[in-house]
Amino acid sequence: MRVVVFVKATADSENSVMPTAELLEAMGKYNEELINAGIMLGGDGLKATKFAKRVHFSGSDRSVIDGPFAETKEIVAGYWIWEVRDMDEAVEWVKRCPNPMFTESDIDIRPVFEMADFAEVMTPEAKAIHDRNAERTPGS
């Protein structure tokens, strides 16, 4: 099963406070463990939302909102994409992670939809489109 692991933002990450050299090394070693275990498919840290844009959809209208965005607890500061046996394995790996922030922090684990999850509504035409897209997408 694939999961996306979200590192939640804190006031420090939203204020662009950089990690210490020690934390950078610890996270690098942790990522190395994930890679060596064949779990990590990708991941990165994200810059503060003051550098971000949000596109709001309302019917056919689109509006662009400049960051920063409020509610730090709802903002993602980084992510990994993992391939794990099950949610229990993902939890065990997250529990091994160094605290990515200087204060208390949270990491969310979300399962990724697989095409099989859409079997009840998947038409042959939609399946052909998604299969074609998967073939052309790096890492899928």
Side-chain angles (χ1 to χ4, degrees):
M1 100 184 272
R2 286 180 304 145
V3 296
V4 178
V5 180
F6 294 105
V7 177
K8 302 305 278 286
T10 63
D12 285 336
S13 66
E14 275 298 286
N15 286 315
S16 299
V17 175
M18 297 303 281
T20 62
E22 294 81 15
L23 179 55
L24 218 69
E25 184 176 333
M27 291 303 289
K29 288 179 180 178
Y30 178 68
N31 286 340
E32 191 171 50
E33 287 180 51
L34 292 166
I35 292 165
N36 290 342
I39 288 171
M40 186 171 162
L41 303 177
D44 278 303
L46 302 173
K47 291 186 177 184
T49 61
K50 68 183 176 186
F51 302 106
K53 304 275 188 193
R54 177 175 288 159
V55 179
H56 178 76
F57 292 72
S58 179
S60 62
D61 294 331
R62 308 290 183 266
S63 58
V64 178
I65 303 145
D66 294 330
F69 307 127
E71 291 299 320
T72 301
K73 66 181 181 177
E74 300 300 325
I75 296 171
V76 174
Y79 71 95
W80 287 281
I81 302 170
W82 293 350
E83 179 78 42
V84 291
R85 282 186 315 275
D86 52 32
M87 190 59 87
D88 290 338
E89 182 181 24
V91 168
E92 288 307 311
W93 275 101
V94 169
K95 287 166 68 175
R96 293 172 59 181
C97 182
N99 184 349
M101 301 294 172
F102 298 119
T103 60
E104 288 186 9
S105 65
D106 294 303
I107 295 180
D108 293 349
I109 307 166
R110 302 261 312 267
V112 173
F113 277 112
E114 304 293 344
M115 283 298 112
D117 295 320
F118 301 106
E120 289 183 18
V121 296
M122 184 70 71
T123 65
E125 294 80 13
K127 182 177 182 332
I129 293 167
H130 288 283
D131 288 349
R132 189 170 59 244
N133 289 340
E135 289 172 9
R136 298 179 62 210
T137 305
S140 42

